[in-house]
Amino acid sequence: MSTTTANNFAAPATAGAAQDTLALLGRVLIALLFVPAGFGKIAGFAGVVGYIGAVGLPLPQLGAVIAIAVELGLGLLLLVGYKTRIVSIILAVFTVATAVFFHNYWAMPADKAYINQLMFFKNIAIAGGLLAIAALGAGRFSIDRK
């Protein structure tokens, strides 16, 4: 009978299946944030352009198109697990940029600061999850693994 030490850890066979299932679930849950948001931006394109312009960003129409491409396009790629590591990094950068430009609670009046602080840190946490996906990969249940 062998002993298991910290330097000689043998994971049970089921650990791989559980890890791959959790990786899939994590991708699905995060994609549920991006994909519907991308569709919503298509449906409400004029409103999105207005919102982007209202925060003072240049070229709001281009910004809206980029947001749709990132949220819908890269969100779907994340969902199916294609080029997952780079997609996750791009989505993380996009999510942090969104936090900085649209949830800049430090520059808002007190009545808007609290909710935007929550939204800011929600985005930062999502970016952290995306970076974990980038570090660990998509798992077996993905196009990357085929």
Side-chain angles (χ1 to χ4, degrees), residues 23-38:
L24 172 62
L25 182 59
R27 290 194 337 266
V28 167
L29 292 175
I30 292 180
L32 277 173
L33 176 70
F34 290 103
V35 174

Side-chain angles (χ1 to χ4, degrees), residues 30-50:
I30 292 180
L32 277 173
L33 176 70
F34 290 103
V35 174
F39 278 120
K41 283 178 178 60
I42 292 170
F45 189 78
V48 173
V49 169

Side-chain angles (χ1 to χ4, degrees), residues 51 55 57 96-104 106 108 120:
Y51 184 56
V55 298
L57 291 175
V96 169
T98 301
V100 170
F101 289 115
F102 295 98
H103 302 298
N104 56 339
W106 53 88
M108 294 183 174
F120 177 89

Side-chain angles (χ1 to χ4, degrees), residues 103 105 108 112-122:
H103 302 298
Y105 66 92
M108 294 183 174
K112 293 185 179 183
Y114 178 72
I115 191 68
N116 277 282
Q117 183 179 19
L118 290 174
M119 299 297 281
F120 177 89
F121 284 107
K122 171 202 57 106

Side-chain angles (χ1 to χ4, degrees), residues 37-38 40-42 44-53 57-72 94 102:
K41 283 178 178 60
I42 292 170
F45 189 78
V48 173
V49 169
Y51 184 56
I52 292 171
L57 291 175
L59 305 169
Q61 283 119 345
L62 178 60
V65 169
I66 291 169
I68 291 166
V70 169
E71 290 179 350
L72 185 56
F94 174 82
F102 295 98

